């Protein structure tokens, strides 16, 4: 017997404003920003459309500052922050690190000097990046002061926070600041921090401690080399514990946005779990985001932001957005982290490397398409059986719906049929469905089919260009349907477990889109030059892009993928005597002329 399809019926009567609250990532340590691998990572990451990944939260940035006989040397810190800002990221700036180990936070009288350090840093940033830019940033206290990243105890942490705020306010009053970024639910450090912000006094200014947001870290499950199941609902449950605690004991703080800026399915970024390289990861990312809307925001929580702390560099099974081929071997960068500024020149050099995108980043390309009005979908029970939906419209009424099928279990299979009907879609509509699942393919599966040497036999991943290119194609969402619908949009969509699918729908149009402005950058790959092809995404809803190679001057462009690309860049190995061509494709399938991507 075939089960009847799961009905997905967005309810327009419940539509409300929707904020894309998941646009952050992080990594450690900050000095990775000086490496060619991280600089390439950010260049590729910034091609997530519509600033789909906007905030970057590195640890230990202040270890890049050196104390000199007179004053501080900020040059390495500024170089690192330039890398973020030049790639259009907004720093979520943890005031974390100890310049030349000059501060003994267990001692006395260090607070005015810390305030002055922060103030000087902010004054320099204001000159370098401008005041308006700085007002977009978030400033946060030391990462996870309830774990051994902070060893000086609660009292010193509160003084440290006061000195941070005093320094920020001395330089540029009103910058956004908060904390405590704690790792443990309702830990004594969390309680001490919120009590101080509620009823304490800034030790340096005598004012009430300023706090614009509360940050906590809640993840799906503790670290383990076993593929144990995360408890995704547990993330929201524990965030509610923090909110309930504030409501009960510190109501004056209970309205502050709650930010979970390390909202990962599992602790331990460095441990290898192959599910991090398959469709399991994009599906659970989509589910956790939807849970934050349904179980937090819809129930009155002051939802701030949600970050996946997946900006690290590493291999298939590690918590990263790309798989690193070649380059330097990455270790437990954070736990073993000790900054050695004498080795900075070594950081700037590396062996040849290539990056291959993971499906966990492709789902950010999908999420980025969602509109600013959410249309709730009643009667789904994704937290019990897996299939869920985030349905949205934009201001013009165009639909973007993200469907997902995810369970909190790594080793389950199966498939469901979803029947999606969009309301109020009379007359003609163009519809496109793109999907990520392991049945179509995934880059890790392409890799597994090879007999290339892999760890522990080889300390670094390596692959010929043809395999790198095949893996990159397999990372992109696949086109499942492109169709013109008359009077009603009613679609049956097969959703294997795990998977994510994006449905885009707009009133039909036969006008071809204008060609994109396309660029080509030659970058150094593992096996020689690679092409980073990028284009201006424009603002027309549903218009996406094809990349093709053409022989010589007059050859016909041959697309490298049979699906339009959601991101605003694609990487491929350079091929002699070929030209790279790009075109825009509207939802109707109407395409612009091809344009050549040229080096500028
Ligand atoms: C609870 C816990 C145990 C442990 O052994 O290591 C941890 C490391 C624990 C909690 C947090 C933690 O560090 C944070 O989480 C990391 C991770 O790998 O999950 C990183 O994502 C973060 O950068 C770090 O702040």
């Amino acid at each position: 017997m075939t089960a009847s399809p799961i009905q997905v019926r967005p309810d327009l009567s419940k539509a409300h404003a929707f904020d894309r609250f998941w646009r952050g990532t992080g990594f450690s340590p900050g000095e990775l920003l000086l490496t060619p691998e991280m600089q390439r990572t950010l260049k590729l990451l910034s091609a997530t459309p519509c600033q789909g990944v906007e905030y970057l939260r590195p640890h230990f940035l202040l270890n890049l500052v050196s104390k000199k006989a007179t004053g501080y040397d900020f040059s390495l810190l500024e170089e690192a922050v330039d890398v973020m800002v030049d790639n259009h990221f907004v720093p979520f700036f943890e005031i974390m690190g100890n310049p030349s180990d000059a501060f003994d936070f267990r001692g006395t009288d260090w607070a005015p000097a810390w305030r002055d350090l922060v103030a000087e840093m902010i004054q320099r940033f204001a000159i370098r990046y401008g005041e308006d830019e700085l007002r977009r940033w978030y400033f946060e206290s030391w990462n996870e002061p309830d774990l051994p990243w902070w060893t000086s105890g609660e009292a010193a942490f509160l003084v440290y926070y006061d000195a941070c705020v005093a320094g920020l306010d001395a330089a540029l009053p009103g910058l956004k600041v908060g904390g405590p970024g704690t790792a443990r639910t309702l830990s004594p450090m969390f309680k001490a921090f919120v009590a101080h912000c509620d009823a304490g006094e800034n030790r340096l200014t005598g004012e009430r401690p300023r706090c614009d947001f509360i940050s906590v870290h809640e993840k799906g499950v503790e670290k383990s080399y076993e593929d144990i199941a995360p408890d995704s609902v547990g993330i929201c449950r524990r965030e509610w514990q923090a909110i309930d605690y504030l409501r009960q004991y510190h109501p004056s703080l209970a309205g502050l946005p709650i930010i979970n800026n390390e909202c990962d399915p599992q602790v331990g970024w460095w441990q290898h779990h192959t599910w991090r390289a398959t469709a399991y990861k994009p599906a659970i990312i989509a589910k956790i985001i939807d849970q934050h809307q349904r179980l937090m925001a819809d129930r009155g929580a002051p939802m701030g932001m949600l970050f996946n702390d997946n900006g690290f560099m590493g291999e298939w099974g590690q918590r990263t957005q790309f798989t690193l081929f070649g380059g330097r071997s990455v270790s437990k960068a954070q736990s073993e982290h000790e900054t050695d500024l004498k080795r900075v020149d070594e950081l700037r050099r590396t062996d040849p490397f290539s990056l291959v995108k993971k499906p966990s980043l492709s789902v950010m390309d999908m999420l980025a398409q969602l509109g600013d009005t959410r249309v709730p979908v009643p009667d789904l029970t994704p937290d019990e059986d897996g299939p869920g939906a985030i349905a949205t419209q934009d201001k013009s009424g165009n639909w973007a719906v993200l469907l997902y099928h995810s369970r909190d279990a790594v080793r389950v299979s199966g498939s469901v049929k979803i029947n999606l009907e969009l309301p109020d879609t009379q007359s003609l509509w163009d519809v496109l469905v793109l999907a990520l699942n392991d049945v179509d393919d995934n880059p890790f599966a392409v890799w597994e089919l090879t007999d290339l040497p892999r760890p522990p036999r080889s300390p670094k991943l390596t692959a010929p260009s043809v395999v790198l290119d095949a893996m990159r194609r397999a990372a992109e969402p696949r086109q499942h349907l492109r169709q013109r619908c008359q009077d009603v949009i009613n679609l049956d969509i097969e959703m294997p477990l795990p998977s994510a699918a994006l449905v885009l729908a707009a009133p039909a149009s036969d006008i071809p889109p204008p060609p994109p402005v396309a660029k080509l950058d030659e970058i150094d790959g593992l096996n020689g030059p690679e092409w980073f092809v990028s284009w201006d995404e424009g603002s027309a809803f549903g218009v996406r892009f094809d990349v093709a190679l053409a022989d010589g001057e007059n050859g016909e462009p041959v697309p490298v993928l049979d699906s339009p690309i959601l991101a605003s860049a694609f990487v491929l190995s350079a091929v002699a005597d070929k030209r790279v061509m790009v075109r825009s494709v509207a939802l109707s399938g109407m395409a612009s002329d091809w344009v050549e991507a040229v080096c500028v």
Side-chain angles (χ1 to χ4, degrees):
M1 198 183 86
T2 21
S4 47
I6 301 212
Q7 312 263 306
V8 174
R9 301 282 182 271
D11 178 357
L12 274 173
S13 71
K14 304 218 160 53
H16 61 86
F18 184 53
D19 179 27
R20 298 178 305 141
F21 54 78
W22 54 83
R23 285 167 297 128
T25 187
F27 60 89
S28 182
E31 74 238 36
L32 287 182
L33 288 161
L34 305 178
T35 67
E37 291 97 327
M38 182 55 80
Q39 290 170 7
R40 177 90 52 85
T41 297
L42 295 194
K43 185 181 174 85
L44 269 55
L45 196 56
S46 71
T48 313
C50 313
Q51 297 226 281
V53 181
E54 184 169 10
Y55 297 97
L56 271 189
R57 180 176 174 275
H59 302 332
F60 291 115
L61 277 171
L62 265 64
N63 281 358
L64 290 168
V65 179
S66 311
K67 186 151 172 39
K68 300 289 172 202
T70 51
Y72 297 99
D73 178 353
F74 290 93
S75 52
L76 288 176
L77 173 67
E78 287 170 348
E79 195 184 323
V81 176
D82 283 355
V83 174
M84 296 197 267
V85 174
D86 290 350
N87 283 294
H88 311 292
F89 290 99
V90 176
F92 202 103
F93 195 103
E94 294 168 11
I95 306 178
M96 177 183 194
N98 193 344
S100 306
D101 271 331
F103 287 85
D104 174 8
F105 297 108
R106 290 163 177 273
T108 50
D109 296 339
W110 50 268
W114 186 263
R115 172 199 60 204
D116 295 345
L117 162 69
V118 172
E120 189 180 343
M121 176 179 78
I122 297 299
Q123 278 153 1
R124 295 182 65 104
F125 285 164
I127 293 167
R128 200 173 181 86
Y129 307 114
E131 192 183 317
D132 290 347
E133 169 67 23
L134 241 62
R135 293 206 182 279
R136 301 170 66 204
W137 300 14
Y138 286 73
F139 292 88
E140 194 187 19
S141 55
W142 206 277
N143 180 54
E144 300 186 341
D146 52 349
L147 291 187
W149 315 127
W150 175 265
T151 51
S152 308
E154 278 165 36
F157 181 74
L158 302 180
V159 176
Y160 147 87
Y161 183 72
D162 289 345
C164 288
V165 176
L168 291 172
D169 284 347
L172 204 56
L175 293 175
K176 288 189 275 285
V177 62
T182 37
R184 297 284 185 204
T185 314
L186 298 183
S187 57
M189 185 63 95
F190 174 88
K191 291 181 177 174
F193 178 83
V194 294
H196 180 60
C197 292
D198 181 17
E201 188 175 275
N202 185 311
R203 313 296 152 90
L204 286 95
T205 64
E207 290 164 9
R208 185 179 165 199
R210 201 158 73 70
C211 180
D212 299 313
F213 61 88
I214 302 288
S215 53
V216 293
H217 299 167
E218 294 294 352
K219 309 199 183 201
V221 67
E222 290 295 339
K223 71 181 163 63
S224 168
Y225 280 107
E226 291 291 314
D227 280 344
I228 51 177
D231 171 10
S232 59
V233 172
I235 297 175
C236 294
R237 198 170 48 240
R238 291 191 302 277
E239 288 166 11
W240 268 117
Q241 280 180 257
I243 296 168
D244 287 341
Y245 182 85
L246 293 176
R247 287 182 178 172
Q248 186 169 0
Y249 298 105
H250 305 291
S252 74
L253 305 179
L256 291 179
I258 291 275
I259 296 180
N260 181 350
N261 44 22
E262 291 195 18
C263 184
D264 303 302
Q266 183 161 23
V267 177
W269 79 268
W270 65 92
Q271 295 185 326
H272 294 262
H273 293 287
T274 50
W275 53 258
R276 286 185 171 143
T278 71
Y280 181 83
K281 190 74 195 280
I284 200 167
I285 285 178
K287 176 169 69 175
I288 290 173
I289 287 169
D290 185 39
Q291 284 167 339
H292 276 74
Q293 180 63 44
R294 288 183 288 106
L295 308 179
M296 305 293 301
D298 288 359
R299 297 184 184 175
M303 257 294 296
M305 282 192 257
L306 172 167
F307 287 38
N308 284 280
D309 197 32
N310 60 354
F312 294 90
M313 294 181 311
E315 293 178 8
W316 291 117
Q318 295 180 309
R319 196 202 297 135
T320 69
Q321 287 153 321
F322 299 90
T323 300
L324 176 65
F325 283 77
R328 75 196 77 211
S329 36
V330 281
S331 64
K332 267 167 71 174
Q334 175 166 274
S335 347
E336 292 166 3
H337 173 74
E338 272 179 44
T339 303
D340 179 0
L341 294 185
K342 289 194 220 66
R343 288 178 46 221
V344 161
D345 286 337
E346 249 173 70
L347 289 179
R348 299 184 206 279
R349 285 189 301 268
T350 187
D351 291 340
F353 68 95
S354 288
L355 296 172
V356 172
K357 185 172 174 176
K358 288 184 184 175
S360 57
L361 177 54
S362 303
V363 77
M364 301 314 279
D365 297 335
M366 291 173 140
L367 284 156
Q369 310 295 323
L370 294 179
D372 47 21
T373 298
R374 172 169 169 261
V375 187
V377 181
D379 303 328
L380 293 180
T381 50
D383 308 328
E384 285 148 40
D385 52 17
I390 308 173
T392 64
Q393 285 190 296
D394 69 7
K395 293 201 169 50
S396 312
N398 304 308
W399 285 93
V401 182
L402 189 77
L403 305 171
Y404 61 84
H405 192 189
S406 163
R407 294 225 195 116
D408 285 355
V410 181
R411 291 192 187 88
V412 287
S413 58
S415 191
V416 295
K417 189 169 282 171
I418 283 185
N419 176 264
L420 169 70
E421 186 165 311
L422 296 177
D424 276 0
T425 47
Q426 289 79 18
S427 73
L428 285 180
W429 284 70
D430 290 326
V431 178
L432 173 68
V433 180
L434 296 166
L436 277 175
N437 63 57
D438 296 332
V439 180
D440 287 344
D441 215 352
N442 72 48
F444 181 63
V446 173
W447 167 251
E448 281 214 304
L449 282 176
T450 69
D451 53 7
L452 290 161
R454 52 198 69 188
R457 268 189 299 146
S458 160
K460 291 175 186 177
L461 298 183
T462 179
S465 301
V466 57
V467 176
L468 289 172
D469 287 336
M471 294 187 293
R472 286 172 174 141
R473 288 195 299 272
E476 299 297 332
R478 232 32 71 76
Q479 178 174 321
H480 277 219
L481 178 147
R482 191 191 278 284
Q483 179 177 309
R484 185 156 282 182
C485 297
Q486 171 85 54
D487 286 330
V488 63
I489 298 178
N490 183 298
L491 309 169
D492 278 336
I493 300 170
E494 193 65 37
M495 295 289 294
L497 193 64
S499 64
L502 176 71
V503 181
L504 298 176
S509 161
D510 287 322
I511 303 169
V517 178
K519 254 185 12 178
L520 190 69
D521 278 343
E522 195 158 288
I523 55 182
D524 293 325
L526 178 64
N527 309 309
E530 289 179 347
W531 285 331
F532 175 84
V533 194
S534 60
W535 47 87
D536 288 345
E537 48 179 323
S539 56
F541 178 83
V543 172
R544 302 322 303 166
F545 304 89
D546 283 339
V547 172
L549 290 173
D551 276 327
E553 268 309 298
N554 302 312
E556 257 313 286
V558 179
V560 297
L561 270 169
D562 51 12
S563 305
I565 299 173
L566 286 176
S568 43
F570 189 73
V571 178
L572 66 170
S573 305
V575 202
D577 302 326
K578 297 263 190 200
R579 292 186 304 149
V580 183
M581 312 297 286
V582 184
R583 68 177 180 185
S584 319
V585 187
L587 272 191
S588 61
M590 300 284 288
S592 72
D593 290 338
W594 291 101
V595 291
E596 184 172 354
V598 285
C599 295
V600 283

